[in-house]
Amino acid sequence: MKEATWSTAARYQPYSSWAPDYIMKLKAQVAASKWRTKTHVQPDTGLINDPCSLNFFNNKWHLYYQQFPFGPVHGLKSWAHAVSKDLFNWRRVPGDLLPDNEYDSHGAYTGSALVTHGTLRLMYTGNARDDQWHRHSTQLGAVLGADGRLFKDPKPLILTPPTGYTQEFRDPFLFNYEGQTYVLIGGQRPDHTGAILLYAKQTDKSWRFVAPLSIPDEFCGYMVECPNITFINGKVVLVYCPQGLDQDFFEYENVYPNIALVADSFDPTTGNLTHQRLQNIDKGFDFYATRLANTDDDGTLAISWLGLPDTTYPTDDDGWAGVLSYVRQLTLRDDHVCLYPHPAIKSLRETAVENLPVIQQHDDEWTVTNLEGAFELAFTLAAGQKTTIHLPDGDHDQLLIHLDSDSGQGMIQRENRNNGGSLRQFGFPAGETVEIRLFIDVSVFELFIDQGYRVVSGRFFGNEAPTAARITPPSAASDVASWNLKKDNGGL
């Protein structure tokens, strides 16, 4: 069933009404897709989009993310549940959050979670529609116990938006600050300006609206989705998705940006933020809905949807859409937000001799062969040099990356098989020797330059999974290394 044929009734019918025969055929269709990844979180069937929560609970990492399991479209959303020991080898387990009451009758939308009193406490947006198809947004709660059972709260946590805001009121992010629990919620005013709304939890467990964060309207577009906050080295970092941001004010190329705001201080009694500056945290084609996790031992973690709203992908014809990024650590370097893979990503490397890529230096290029579709490629780019990474696909390149360390300019080009464009340009520190790490996973790329100072992520869709790479000229690159990647649990 292609998107054009998906009626509203089909998208929002109860999960129990989907015929087993349809689901079996969909699974077979998805399994045959040549663009299935080997190491990324992806749907068994249908669509996944926003990551909702990432928490270490009961001796495991728990990941929740949005899904519509019945087709590659946005329909009646639920939360899928997966667990991992190392943040990279994920396994689906029971405990999905399903839309089954009057408040989430049209979808369990994005939210977050905190570990509290030996349980995982979830907060999410319930989406309901009336007979005129008007939206009613409610912030709801659920709890996951140590035994893996999930229970919803009987009553809403926040029934309606505060006065002066519309029903575009969603994506709660729970956080602790100075011994108090707060939540940020994306919002919109009647004049179609976006806002991030701050609530404080009271001793009676109710939520009190404090204020909108003091962010200028031009930083927020007409609606804010997926707000997050973290505190690093005495600074405040907000990560959020402002829809409709003026491109003359802030440069971005995707349909909606996913940006960071760095501030010097945060006042939880007023929502005031001082000395704010903006940054695009990923310059790739497909990157949205980042969810942060504030942890005790691993710093601030980040995971994102490598997809975009209002965008089609070739995998749609195969019955599935969407992947999540690798888990990254978010740090600040000179007030610049950096994203870099968590060190546990090394658990994906295949180390058996027979599975190692073959790396050779020739007069005119480095070649890397014996690649198996999912691999890591790393090298050092010398200062004042230009290099190009080629991923061949028959007689042409399915992915081409140009890097100029003298000017600090880069470009990535892919075959244009969807409506997200084929070219992205980006900057990175000029005149320096920089480390390059490129992760390829069949139809996904994640590029990290200078230990995450610049990140470029997205999808690409070649005729075949990549089995070789070339780096030209050979004099620009040194310390070339590569590993094939594989999950140890059969994948999702």
Side-chain angles (χ1 to χ4, degrees):
M1 190 184 296
K2 293 188 177 182
E3 182 162 8
T5 68
W6 281 86
S7 67
T8 299
R11 291 172 189 254
Y12 290 94
Q13 64 180 303
Y15 280 23
S16 59
S17 67
W18 289 94
D21 182 59
Y22 171 83
I23 296 171
M24 286 181 59
K25 289 179 180 178
L26 184 59
K27 285 183 176 180
Q29 180 186 7
V30 171
S33 175
K34 65 183 178 182
W35 292 306
R36 296 290 283 173
T37 72
K38 294 184 176 184
T39 65
H40 282 77
V41 174
Q42 61 190 350
D44 293 328
T45 56
L47 173 143
I48 66 173
N49 56 312
D50 302 5
C52 298
S53 64
L54 178 63
N55 303 86
F56 192 75
F57 167 64
N58 202 24
N59 298 313
K60 294 185 290 289
W61 289 100
H62 290 254
L63 172 66
Y64 275 101
Y65 52 94
Q66 281 202 303
Q67 64 172 350
F68 177 66
F70 305 106
V73 297
H74 295 275
L76 183 60
K77 295 291 180 63
S78 60
W79 285 23
H81 184 208
V83 298
S84 173
K85 287 287 189 180
D86 60 11
L87 292 168
F88 291 93
N89 293 284
W90 293 99
R91 176 172 55 89
R92 285 280 276 119
V93 294
D96 286 7
L97 180 67
L98 300 177
D100 57 10
N101 65 40
E102 63 178 307
Y103 298 108
D104 59 18
S105 60
H106 290 74
Y109 279 11
T110 305
S112 58
L114 284 178
V115 177
T116 306
H117 303 302
T119 63
L120 187 62
R121 203 48 157 118
L122 281 60
M123 188 173 185
Y124 69 102
T125 298
N127 180 48
R129 298 277 188 169
D130 61 24
D131 292 340
Q132 287 74 46
W133 205 245
H134 296 147
R135 183 193 305 276
H136 298 275
S137 296
T138 306
Q139 310 314 313
L140 306 175
V143 60
L144 181 73
D147 59 1
R149 292 189 296 171
L150 183 74
F151 297 96
K152 288 185 175 180
D153 290 352
K155 296 181 180 179
L157 302 180
I158 303 174
L159 184 60
T160 59
T163 301
Y165 294 88
T166 74
Q167 289 292 330
E168 301 293 340
F169 175 58
R170 57 182 174 269
D171 308 343
F173 178 74
L174 292 160
F175 67 101
N176 292 320
Y177 183 70
E178 296 182 344
Q180 172 80 35
T181 300
Y182 299 91
V183 66
L184 298 179
I185 304 175
Q188 182 191 66
R189 301 179 183 89
D191 65 357
H192 294 280
T193 55
I196 298 176
L197 308 179
L198 175 66
Y199 284 78
K201 190 174 185 179
Q202 305 301 288
T203 55
D204 63 359
K205 299 185 179 180
S206 65
W207 291 90
R208 177 179 61 85
F209 176 55
V210 177
L213 297 186
S214 63
I215 304 172
D217 289 350
E218 58 266 30
F219 287 19
C220 294
Y222 63 74
M223 170 65 197
V224 171
E225 292 192 317
C226 306
N228 304 256
I229 194 168
T230 190
F231 305 92
I232 303 174
N233 302 332
K235 303 291 185 180
V236 185
V237 181
L238 281 175
V239 174
Y240 64 105
C241 300
Q243 296 188 330
L245 197 66
D246 186 346
Q247 289 175 294
D248 291 331
F249 168 72
F250 184 83
E251 182 182 354
Y252 64 96
E253 297 183 76
N254 295 342
V255 59
Y256 303 121
N258 195 165
I259 66 176
L261 181 154
V262 180
D264 288 345
S265 66
F266 165 65
D267 184 346
T269 65
T270 63
N272 189 52
L273 297 162
T274 59
H275 301 100
Q276 305 168 28
R277 47 266 186 213
L278 297 182
Q279 176 193 327
N280 198 328
I281 57 175
D282 191 307
K283 294 284 283 185
F285 301 95
D286 309 284
F287 185 83
Y288 196 73
T290 296
R291 179 54 84 216
L292 299 186
N294 297 309
T295 74
D296 293 331
D297 298 329
D298 294 275
T300 301
L301 303 181
I303 185 169
S304 307
W305 173 30
L306 296 185
L308 286 167
D310 307 324
T311 304
T312 59
Y313 293 90
T315 59
D316 295 355
D317 292 335
D318 295 339
W320 69 283
V323 301
L324 302 186
S325 72
Y326 290 137
V327 174
R328 304 162 173 183
Q329 290 181 309
L330 186 151
T331 58
L332 280 179
R333 191 194 316 168
D334 300 325
D335 277 4
H336 183 92
V337 174
C338 299
L339 291 170
Y340 200 60
H342 187 280
I345 198 168
K346 293 180 181 179
S347 67
L348 298 177
R349 292 176 179 174
E350 292 199 79
T351 56
V353 173
E354 62 271 19
N355 293 324
L356 292 176
V358 177
I359 302 170
Q360 294 178 302
Q361 183 175 4
H362 306 276
D363 290 341
D364 57 347
E365 65 183 6
W366 287 92
T367 60
V368 186
T369 56
N370 197 37
L371 298 174
E372 299 172 356
F375 60 90
E376 175 185 353
L377 176 63
F379 63 91
T380 300
L381 174 61
Q385 295 289 320
K386 298 178 181 179
T387 192
T388 302
I389 305 169
H390 307 256
L391 262 62
D393 187 18
D395 60 357
H396 65 285
D397 291 315
Q398 57 182 298
L399 197 67
L400 194 66
I401 303 171
H402 296 289
L403 301 170
D404 183 343
S405 64
D406 184 36
S407 66
Q409 296 297 309
M411 181 194 76
I412 189 161
Q413 187 171 6
R414 65 178 181 180
E415 292 183 86
N416 193 13
R417 294 201 180 202
N418 68 329
N419 63 347
S422 61
L423 182 70
R424 290 290 184 271
Q425 295 178 305
F426 50 88
F428 58 94
E432 300 178 11
T433 296
V434 293
E435 174 201 78
I436 307 298
R437 288 183 81 184
L438 173 65
F439 293 87
I440 298 293
D441 189 3
V442 183
S443 61
V444 173
F445 71 87
E446 297 191 40
L447 174 65
F448 300 90
I449 301 172
D450 193 22
Q451 297 187 324
Y453 188 92
R454 174 61 63 211
V455 185
V456 188
S457 307
R459 306 296 304 279
F460 69 104
F461 302 95
N463 293 316
E464 302 290 341
T467 57
R470 298 187 296 117
I471 305 171
T472 59
S475 58
S478 61
D479 303 319
V480 179
S482 187
W483 297 267
N484 283 307
L485 304 177
K486 182 180 180 181
K487 291 213 290 196
D488 66 8
N489 63 355
L492 288 173

